[in-house]
Amino acid sequence: MVDVYSASKNKKTKPKKSSKKRSRERVSVSKIKKVIKPGGKEGFLTSFATFPKKICFENQERGEEIVLFLRPHPIVNVGWLALAIVIAFIPAFFDFFPPYGSLPVNYQMMMGLSWYLLLLGFVFAKFMSWFFNIFIMTDERVVDVDFVNLFYRIISEAKIERVQDVNSEMSGVWQTFFNYGSVTIQTAGEMPQFAFENIPNPDLVARMINQMIDLEEQEKLEGRVK
Amino acid sequence: MNNFTYFLDNLSVLSFVKVFFIVGLGLYAFFAYLMLRQVGVMSRAVEMQDEYIVKIIGIAHFLLAVFILLIALLVL
């Protein structure tokens, strides 16, 4: 009987602890919101968004909020899109190749269909490597999702308190004109360096990360780690 | 042995092209399936707004690859 009583007592006290923790986390997030102004649009093809509501990741902890969501600037897709357009017009010149003309009609048709299927595959693979190349910064850590190719992807993360140095770089006419570049983060963790390439507003992103580091250090001093 | 020489006599360039098409498209259908799997894995890693569009494109790409493989088997 005593055990039952103590168990129910424990049940009542637990939510209080978690609500305290959650409210503490909310305080840290609200502090971040004061420092980092909302910007960017949260959409299907967005490459820069602060405090996105409809994005979450696999190892996201309860109460952990995404502060910054980044993808490479959409302009980086221009190269492969132009190549895809050129490839799409190549079948128009098939007739100039004598072996093609000697093939029966059904073989010619299959060649055209296969060509456009391969083109679709190329476009889809390139789109995927852009779409799933993501950088996420939460109120606790930085997460880098690198979709190198179809058979190779890396998901690495580091706590903000472990970030030591942040550099932003913008070089060349295109990067200056379209305001995109790379941000490199040096950490004391297992992954010594995070490089986010071709991301929009690199200076702003570097500034945001620095502000997050400052807030984290301030929280440490105040004794509110996590 | 006679059957084999008969087979070799009837073997034309078109037969090679046909085998090339069917094997190539079969491998491509497998590749399209792997792409579809990868989309699923990535979608689980990062859940985003309207990502079902990418899933639909992946499914359409895989179905198209299978459809073209079937056409090749029927037409060639």
Side-chain angles (χ1 to χ4, degrees), chain A residues 167-193:
Chain A
N167 296 311
S168 69
E169 190 188 318
M170 216 158 62
S171 62
V173 180
W174 279 89
Q175 293 197 354
T176 311
F177 189 75
F178 291 102
N179 190 24
Y180 72 96
S182 57
V183 171
T184 314
I185 298 173
Q186 307 278 346
T187 70
E190 271 181 42
M191 184 91 175
Q193 191 172 311

Short mmCIF file of all heavy atoms in Angstrom, two decimals, chain A residues 167-193:
data_model
loop_
_atom_site.label_atom_id
_atom_site.label_comp_id
_atom_site.label_asym_id
_atom_site.label_seq_id
_atom_site.Cartn_x
_atom_site.Cartn_y
_atom_site.Cartn_z
N ASN A 167 34.66 30.98 -39.52
CA ASN A 167 35.17 31.82 -40.63
C ASN A 167 34.15 31.83 -41.76
O ASN A 167 33.56 30.80 -42.08
CB ASN A 167 36.47 31.24 -41.20
CG ASN A 167 37.58 31.26 -40.19
OD1 ASN A 167 37.84 32.27 -39.57
ND2 ASN A 167 38.23 30.12 -40.01
N SER A 168 33.97 33.00 -42.36
CA SER A 168 33.12 33.06 -43.55
C SER A 168 33.97 33.50 -44.73
O SER A 168 34.91 34.28 -44.58
CB SER A 168 31.96 34.03 -43.32
OG SER A 168 32.42 35.34 -43.25
N GLU A 169 33.61 32.98 -45.90
CA GLU A 169 34.40 33.29 -47.09
C GLU A 169 33.49 33.50 -48.29
O GLU A 169 32.52 32.74 -48.50
CB GLU A 169 35.35 32.12 -47.36
CG GLU A 169 36.39 32.40 -48.42
CD GLU A 169 37.18 31.14 -48.79
OE1 GLU A 169 37.55 30.38 -47.88
OE2 GLU A 169 37.38 30.94 -49.99
N MET A 170 33.78 34.53 -49.04
CA MET A 170 33.01 34.82 -50.24
C MET A 170 34.02 35.23 -51.31
O MET A 170 34.72 36.22 -51.14
CB MET A 170 32.04 35.98 -49.96
CG MET A 170 30.72 35.83 -50.66
SD MET A 170 29.40 36.77 -49.90
CE MET A 170 29.93 38.43 -50.04
N SER A 171 34.12 34.45 -52.37
CA SER A 171 35.12 34.78 -53.38
C SER A 171 34.54 34.67 -54.78
O SER A 171 33.70 33.82 -55.04
CB SER A 171 36.34 33.86 -53.23
OG SER A 171 35.95 32.53 -53.44
N GLY A 172 34.99 35.53 -55.64
CA GLY A 172 34.54 35.47 -57.03
C GLY A 172 33.36 36.39 -57.31
O GLY A 172 32.68 36.86 -56.40
N VAL A 173 33.15 36.62 -58.59
CA VAL A 173 32.11 37.54 -59.04
C VAL A 173 30.72 37.00 -58.69
O VAL A 173 29.88 37.71 -58.15
CB VAL A 173 32.23 37.79 -60.57
CG1 VAL A 173 31.15 38.74 -61.06
CG2 VAL A 173 33.61 38.33 -60.91
N TRP A 174 30.50 35.72 -59.00
CA TRP A 174 29.18 35.11 -58.77
C TRP A 174 28.78 35.16 -57.30
O TRP A 174 27.67 35.51 -56.96
CB TRP A 174 29.17 33.65 -59.26
CG TRP A 174 28.99 33.53 -60.73
CD1 TRP A 174 29.97 33.53 -61.67
CD2 TRP A 174 27.75 33.42 -61.44
NE1 TRP A 174 29.41 33.43 -62.92
CE2 TRP A 174 28.06 33.35 -62.81
CE3 TRP A 174 26.42 33.37 -61.05
CZ2 TRP A 174 27.08 33.24 -63.80
CZ3 TRP A 174 25.43 33.25 -62.02
CH2 TRP A 174 25.77 33.19 -63.38
N GLN A 175 29.74 34.77 -56.44
CA GLN A 175 29.45 34.72 -55.01
C GLN A 175 29.18 36.11 -54.45
O GLN A 175 28.30 36.27 -53.62
CB GLN A 175 30.62 34.05 -54.27
CG GLN A 175 30.77 32.58 -54.62
CD GLN A 175 31.60 31.79 -53.64
OE1 GLN A 175 32.19 32.34 -52.72
NE2 GLN A 175 31.67 30.49 -53.83
N THR A 176 29.93 37.09 -54.94
CA THR A 176 29.73 38.46 -54.47
C THR A 176 28.39 38.99 -54.97
O THR A 176 27.64 39.63 -54.23
CB THR A 176 30.88 39.37 -54.97
OG1 THR A 176 32.11 38.72 -54.67
CG2 THR A 176 30.86 40.72 -54.31
N PHE A 177 28.08 38.71 -56.23
CA PHE A 177 26.84 39.22 -56.83
C PHE A 177 25.60 38.58 -56.19
O PHE A 177 24.63 39.26 -55.89
CB PHE A 177 26.86 38.94 -58.34
CG PHE A 177 25.74 39.61 -59.07
CD1 PHE A 177 25.77 40.98 -59.32
CD2 PHE A 177 24.65 38.88 -59.50
CE1 PHE A 177 24.73 41.60 -59.99
CE2 PHE A 177 23.60 39.49 -60.17
CZ PHE A 177 23.64 40.86 -60.42
N PHE A 178 25.64 37.27 -55.98
CA PHE A 178 24.47 36.57 -55.44
C PHE A 178 24.52 36.38 -53.92
O PHE A 178 23.63 35.74 -53.35
CB PHE A 178 24.27 35.22 -56.14
CG PHE A 178 23.85 35.35 -57.57
CD1 PHE A 178 24.76 35.18 -58.59
CD2 PHE A 178 22.54 35.67 -57.89
CE1 PHE A 178 24.38 35.31 -59.93
CE2 PHE A 178 22.15 35.81 -59.21
CZ PHE A 178 23.07 35.63 -60.23
N ASN A 179 25.55 36.94 -53.30
CA ASN A 179 25.70 36.91 -51.84
C ASN A 179 25.65 35.48 -51.27
O ASN A 179 24.77 35.13 -50.49
CB ASN A 179 24.63 37.80 -51.18
CG ASN A 179 24.89 37.99 -49.70
OD1 ASN A 179 26.02 37.87 -49.24
ND2 ASN A 179 23.85 38.30 -48.96
N TYR A 180 26.56 34.66 -51.74
CA TYR A 180 26.69 33.34 -51.14
C TYR A 180 28.17 32.97 -51.02
O TYR A 180 29.02 33.58 -51.68
CB TYR A 180 25.91 32.28 -51.93
CG TYR A 180 26.47 31.88 -53.27
CD1 TYR A 180 27.27 30.75 -53.40
CD2 TYR A 180 26.19 32.62 -54.41
CE1 TYR A 180 27.78 30.37 -54.64
CE2 TYR A 180 26.69 32.25 -55.63
CZ TYR A 180 27.48 31.13 -55.75
OH TYR A 180 27.99 30.77 -56.97
N GLY A 181 28.47 32.02 -50.18
CA GLY A 181 29.87 31.64 -49.94
C GLY A 181 29.93 30.50 -48.95
O GLY A 181 28.95 29.77 -48.78
N SER A 182 31.07 30.36 -48.31
CA SER A 182 31.21 29.23 -47.38
C SER A 182 31.48 29.70 -45.95
O SER A 182 32.09 30.75 -45.74
CB SER A 182 32.30 28.29 -47.87
OG SER A 182 33.51 28.98 -48.00
N VAL A 183 31.04 28.90 -45.01
CA VAL A 183 31.30 29.16 -43.60
C VAL A 183 32.00 27.91 -43.04
O VAL A 183 31.53 26.80 -43.23
CB VAL A 183 29.99 29.44 -42.83
CG1 VAL A 183 30.23 29.48 -41.33
CG2 VAL A 183 29.36 30.75 -43.29
N THR A 184 33.14 28.14 -42.40
CA THR A 184 33.90 27.03 -41.82
C THR A 184 33.90 27.15 -40.31
O THR A 184 34.14 28.23 -39.77
CB THR A 184 35.36 27.05 -42.35
OG1 THR A 184 35.32 27.26 -43.76
CG2 THR A 184 36.06 25.75 -42.07
N ILE A 185 33.60 26.05 -39.65
CA ILE A 185 33.56 26.03 -38.19
C ILE A 185 34.60 25.06 -37.67
O ILE A 185 34.63 23.90 -38.07
CB ILE A 185 32.15 25.61 -37.68
CG1 ILE A 185 31.10 26.63 -38.13
CG2 ILE A 185 32.13 25.48 -36.17
CD1 ILE A 185 29.67 26.19 -37.82
N GLN A 186 35.46 25.55 -36.80
CA GLN A 186 36.45 24.68 -36.15
C GLN A 186 35.89 24.26 -34.80
O GLN A 186 35.42 25.10 -34.04
CB GLN A 186 37.76 25.45 -35.91
CG GLN A 186 38.34 26.13 -37.12
CD GLN A 186 39.16 25.20 -38.00
OE1 GLN A 186 39.51 24.11 -37.58
NE2 GLN A 186 39.44 25.64 -39.20
N THR A 187 35.92 22.96 -34.54
CA THR A 187 35.39 22.50 -33.25
C THR A 187 36.44 21.68 -32.49
O THR A 187 37.43 21.24 -33.06
CB THR A 187 34.14 21.61 -33.44
OG1 THR A 187 34.54 20.37 -34.04
CG2 THR A 187 33.08 22.27 -34.28
N ALA A 188 36.12 21.48 -31.23
CA ALA A 188 37.01 20.66 -30.39
C ALA A 188 36.51 19.22 -30.32
O ALA A 188 37.00 18.42 -29.55
CB ALA A 188 37.08 21.26 -28.99
N GLY A 189 35.54 18.90 -31.13
CA GLY A 189 34.93 17.57 -31.09
C GLY A 189 35.63 16.57 -32.00
O GLY A 189 36.74 16.80 -32.48
N GLU A 190 34.92 15.44 -32.23
CA GLU A 190 35.46 14.38 -33.09
C GLU A 190 35.66 14.87 -34.51
O GLU A 190 36.61 14.52 -35.19
CB GLU A 190 34.49 13.20 -33.09
CG GLU A 190 34.76 12.21 -32.00
CD GLU A 190 33.80 11.04 -32.05
OE1 GLU A 190 33.52 10.55 -33.14
OE2 GLU A 190 33.32 10.66 -30.97
N MET A 191 34.71 15.66 -34.96
CA MET A 191 34.78 16.25 -36.31
C MET A 191 35.42 17.62 -36.16
O MET A 191 34.77 18.55 -35.70
CB MET A 191 33.34 16.35 -36.86
CG MET A 191 33.25 16.85 -38.27
SD MET A 191 33.30 15.50 -39.43
CE MET A 191 33.00 16.43 -40.93
N PRO A 192 36.71 17.75 -36.50
CA PRO A 192 37.39 19.01 -36.19
C PRO A 192 36.93 20.21 -37.02
O PRO A 192 37.07 21.34 -36.60
CB PRO A 192 38.86 18.69 -36.46
CG PRO A 192 38.84 17.54 -37.39
CD PRO A 192 37.60 16.78 -37.12
N GLN A 193 36.39 19.93 -38.19
CA GLN A 193 36.02 21.06 -39.05
C GLN A 193 34.71 20.80 -39.80
O GLN A 193 34.50 19.74 -40.38
CB GLN A 193 37.14 21.31 -40.06
CG GLN A 193 36.96 22.62 -40.80
CD GLN A 193 38.17 22.96 -41.65
OE1 GLN A 193 39.30 22.90 -41.18
NE2 GLN A 193 37.93 23.30 -42.89
#
